[in-house]
Amino acid sequence: MLKNIEIIGLMSGTSLDGLDIAHVAFDFSAALPTFELLHSETLPYSDEILAKLNVAKTFSVPEMLMLDKEIGRFYAIKVVDFIKKYKIDSKIIAAIASHGQTIFHQPENGFTQQIGCGTTLAFLTGIPVINDFRSLDVAAGGQGAPLVPIGDFLLFSDEADAFLNIGGFVNISFKKGDEITAFDICPGNLPLNKFAETLGLKYDKNGEIAKNGQLDDSLLKELNNINYYSLAAPKSLGTEWLEKQFLPLIPKELSPEKKLRTITEHIAIQISAVLNDQQLNSVFITGGGAHNNFLIECLKQYFSGNVIIPKDEVIDFKEAIVFAFLGARYLRNESTTISSVTGAKLSLCTGVYHRI
């Protein structure tokens, strides 16, 4: 079985802040695998692609198929440029492990969709591609998410009791006895970025606008009473839920500053509720939200445990590292999902392999 594997991991989250590329070397010779992040970079989408991704849910089938190929070509161009820039020998790359761009996530209806054509990516780079890591789990009755916990507990197990990623949505993983539990807690950067954009900004840097905004107690109470938060895991969130269940609760007449302040407080309350209910003593935070100083300040007000913020390369590239890890496990014919996390009938070696 393969013991030393180099993979290029690709991650693009729901907040559409760019394509994360991570060149990672894994060593499987010990009981717990180790990794080294050799090169990493975040590359923005063009305005043209962003405009399409923002309305992709409305596309016809032919339009969606064309966008799937276009994203595959975009990934390929960026990977080839990345390989050239860092003088990587493409022959030593065992595979590209690509999350793809989520367009639909409806496990309750039996499907999830991440575009970024694997066949196109493999052909244009000359490197095998593993993608579509979620669909098999959904077919087995699971949520198809979250997938990162297997990396949390095999690559970062010594860091904390719980692992939190604040991306477009906030997800957590932790151990209860010998069983790993993980789920999406609440929205994260998606609504914050949406309302920052009404002020002409891509995001609220360091949470400064929210910090200076006024809290709306009535809205905060309504958000905290959303039914999803009372559901038992496994559970996951998608942009469909955000648009139908969350955003309609926010009064249009509220100022962007009030919206940002109140949603930030809401996120901190929901995160801390889980941490406190599970009696967790420490949490390791990654994702773009880890850079939101005000959100972290709010969280520390509600959670008395240890909040661990790692170095920037882990904050920004942990998910790309973990998808590279999933690719390596696929090549080793090891499970890439945890049934106790996703709710599937069994843990599975998920992914679709593309080669020339």
Side-chain angles (χ1 to χ4, degrees), residues 51-53 55-65 67 104:
K52 291 178 182 178
L53 289 174
V55 296
K57 283 186 173 62
T58 68
F59 279 12
S60 66
V61 173
E63 288 172 330
M64 185 66 75
L65 291 171
L67 183 59
F104 295 107

Side-chain angles (χ1 to χ4, degrees), residues 37-93:
L37 179 60
L38 301 174
H39 307 97
S40 57
E41 199 165 352
T42 298
L43 301 166
Y45 286 112
S46 67
D47 290 341
E48 181 183 359
I49 289 179
L50 270 179
K52 291 178 182 178
L53 289 174
N54 278 317
V55 296
K57 283 186 173 62
T58 68
F59 279 12
S60 66
V61 173
E63 288 172 330
M64 185 66 75
L65 291 171
M66 286 189 288
L67 183 59
D68 179 45
K69 305 298 181 188
E70 183 177 358
I71 298 300
R73 289 192 295 272
F74 172 82
Y75 287 176
I77 290 167
K78 297 306 179 184
V79 168
V80 169
D81 289 346
F82 180 84
I83 286 171
K84 288 179 180 175
K85 178 177 179 178
Y86 295 105
K87 297 179 172 61
I88 301 166
D89 180 0
S90 61
K91 293 177 182 176
I92 67 173
I93 303 300

Side-chain angles (χ1 to χ4, degrees), residues 202-254:
K202 287 189 175 181
Y203 62 96
D204 180 10
K205 187 175 182 180
N206 298 323
E208 288 298 326
I209 298 171
K211 186 174 184 176
N212 293 305
Q214 185 178 355
L215 187 67
D216 188 294
D217 292 318
S218 176
L219 174 59
L220 181 63
K221 183 177 180 180
E222 194 164 7
L223 293 178
N224 286 333
N225 285 331
I226 290 174
N227 181 59
Y228 175 85
Y229 304 136
S230 64
L231 300 177
K235 57 182 180 177
S236 61
L237 294 170
T239 54
E240 298 95 326
W241 176 89
L242 186 75
E243 291 163 3
K244 292 178 182 178
Q245 303 295 326
F246 188 89
L247 293 177
L249 298 176
I250 300 169
K252 292 181 180 178
E253 64 270 17
L254 280 188

